[in-house]
Amino acid sequence: MAATRHDTAAIGEDRDWAAQAVAALQREAARSADTHLLHATFPGLPGIDFYFKDEAAHPTGSLKHRLARSLFLYALCNGRLRPGQAVVDASSGSTAISEAWFARLLGLSFTAVMPAATAPAKIEAVHALGGHCELTGAGTCPQARAGEIAARGACFLDQFGLAERATDWRGNNNIAESIIGQMRQERFPEPAWIVCGAGTGGTSATIGRYLRYRGLRTRLCVAEPTGMAFAQAWRLRDHDARATHATCIEGIGRPSAEPGFLFEVVDDVIEVPDAASVAGMQLLERNLGRRYGGSSGTNLVACLQLAERMHARGEPGSIVSLLCDRGERYDRTLFDPQWLSRSGIDPTPWTQRLRATTEGDGAQTPVAAQSAAASLADAATPGSSNSRP
């Protein structure tokens, strides 16, 4: 049936608004400078250069700024987002902050469905940007609740379902292209490893695909909180695998395998206990002079394990990882000694181990061996963690 004159006019208005919204997002991207790639070396690991891509420098303070822009563009270009339509997504915090920022840019209302245990500073940041937070208890799936809200007319950005396909992995200044371009003049321009976590799976999928697209020998490692779904599913190549532990590291470590988890593009997975991630956060602050979140600490511990392997083989090279979000968001949780004590997390042994590795105390047990021992101990007592889901 042919569209009526009124329908045709409405469709035209929607298309005009979508074109203006896309142009606004493109202007924002053009105004955003690329994030810095910070360089570090450690005396205990000579011949290995470490690089940390500071994604916390984005306007919304995290790696998820890139993803949020991509999700809005994907919704607009697929005709899923209309003028004045409310927007909703499920998030553990950082994506929600970025989505709230872009929703405000486009003049749209935004609701974040978040676990009640999300760091308070993240909830406050969404509110400050004009968004609304609906907090869910342990028995409620945030994605399912976001889907219910979308059924009433909101546009569901669906980061967990769409991140892998919404990101342009061939280029368009995605994070992988940015890293490889910034490494071009370094001592070891082709990294031996790139390390990232897995939340939606979008970042690991983008990096893994791009490395293959460019024909690079660089390998991809996913840094995963101990016992979480990506590690279990990657080993079995089974999307039905489930986490065996809880974690307090927000943004990564999913309870079940997400649709965007692409196992074939990942070369290794290193599991990191929560206490080690907290020690990694503290080490980053001491070495870089500012605070980053828990997943950045997870990444660092995995980098050090890979570097130990390279050092043992006499293999020089470079390792690149991500600084995912601002540490200030965790001042009342992961950076609070009392909160850590209440949660049963003691980073002290790991702090000593990481310092020994980076400073070159060969008498200490390697990080990899310590991590494996901790993982085995945790596996012997499933569900014993006091960390939040």
Side-chain angles (χ1 to χ4, degrees):
M1 181 183 294
T4 66
R5 186 175 184 275
H6 174 75
D7 290 336
T8 301
I11 291 170
E13 291 172 2
D14 286 1
R15 290 285 292 271
D16 289 344
W17 177 83
Q20 293 168 11
V22 169
L25 295 175
Q26 291 172 335
R27 288 194 297 271
E28 185 278 332
R31 291 192 298 268
S32 295
D34 204 354
T35 58
H36 294 292
L37 193 63
L38 308 180
H39 176 238
T41 58
F42 298 110
L45 297 164
I48 301 174
D49 290 341
F50 294 82
Y51 297 86
F52 302 98
K53 190 154 179 62
D54 189 2
E55 292 293 285
H58 281 295
T60 56
S62 82
L63 166 70
K64 300 301 185 179
H65 191 84
R66 297 176 190 267
L67 173 59
R69 185 195 296 124
S70 294
L71 289 169
F72 272 97
L73 284 169
Y74 189 82
L76 287 163
C77 295
N78 281 279
R80 298 176 52 241
L81 181 56
R82 302 183 302 277
Q85 187 177 13
V87 178
V88 64
D89 207 356
S91 171
S92 63
S94 289
T95 303
I97 295 168
S98 298
E99 289 172 335
W101 192 88
F102 279 104
R104 186 177 68 173
L105 177 68
L106 299 179
L108 303 173
S109 65
F110 173 71
T111 296
V113 183
M114 308 165 75
T118 299
K122 292 183 178 180
I123 298 170
E124 293 162 6
V126 172
H127 289 157
L129 290 165
H132 168 71
C133 296
E134 181 173 317
L135 304 181
T136 62
T140 302
C141 173
Q143 293 100 303
R145 177 58 187 148
E148 292 173 0
I149 295 172
R152 301 200 297 265
C155 176
F156 185 12
L157 294 177
D158 194 10
Q159 64 158 329
F160 291 105
L162 298 176
E164 165 263 322
R165 69 183 77 170
T167 303
D168 182 359
W169 53 269
R170 295 175 187 84
N172 191 28
N173 195 35
N174 69 44
I175 192 166
E177 182 183 47
S178 177
I179 288 170
I180 298 304
Q182 289 175 314
M183 288 291 295
R184 201 165 286 139
Q185 298 183 54
E186 297 302 314
R187 178 166 66 145
F188 304 108
E190 186 171 325
W193 289 94
I194 295 178
V195 177
C196 70
T200 64
T203 300
S204 59
T206 297
I207 295 173
R209 286 166 163 169
Y210 186 78
L211 294 175
R212 284 158 176 76
Y213 179 62
R214 287 287 308 277
L216 301 174
R217 294 168 296 175
T218 302
R219 290 165 289 176
L220 173 63
C221 175
V222 164
E224 178 86 327
T226 298
M228 302 312 293
F230 191 101
Q232 313 306 315
W234 179 79
R235 293 191 185 99
L236 301 171
R237 296 298 196 270
D238 179 9
H239 263 89
D240 292 329
R242 297 291 183 268
T244 59
H245 287 62
T247 181
C248 68
I249 306 302
E250 296 181 16
I252 59 174
R254 300 297 299 160
S256 59
E258 300 297 341
F261 285 0
L262 301 186
F263 306 126
E264 291 76 16
V265 302
V266 174
D267 300 292
D268 200 357
V269 176
I270 291 178
E271 295 182 84
V272 178
D274 286 358
S277 294
V278 174
M281 294 168 58
Q282 297 169 351
L283 181 61
L284 284 170
E285 183 181 11
R286 285 194 298 274
N287 281 272
L288 300 180
R290 62 168 298 182
R291 289 182 167 182
Y292 297 92
S295 58
S296 301
T298 309
N299 288 343
L300 175 61
V301 175
C303 287
L304 293 177
Q305 290 195 33
L306 293 169
E308 285 178 332
R309 297 179 196 172
M310 292 171 63
H311 182 56
R313 295 192 298 265
E315 176 188 335
S318 57
I319 298 175
V320 180
S321 191
L322 310 180
L323 300 169
C324 303
D325 63 352
R326 298 170 183 165
E328 291 78 7
R329 294 174 178 176
Y330 307 94
D331 283 348
R332 283 171 275 175
T333 55
L334 296 177
F335 279 108
D336 180 357
Q338 294 182 345
W339 185 92
L340 291 173
S341 179
R342 290 195 303 270
S343 301
I345 299 171
D346 179 12
T348 305
W350 278 102
T351 298
Q352 297 169 350
R353 189 68 58 212
L354 298 183
R355 278 185 169 177
T357 297
T358 55
E359 294 173 9
D361 184 354
Q364 296 290 336
T365 306
V367 172
Q370 179 82 353
S371 183
S375 299
L376 289 172
D378 288 344
T381 55
S384 64
S385 173
N386 291 319
S387 303
R388 299 175 302 162

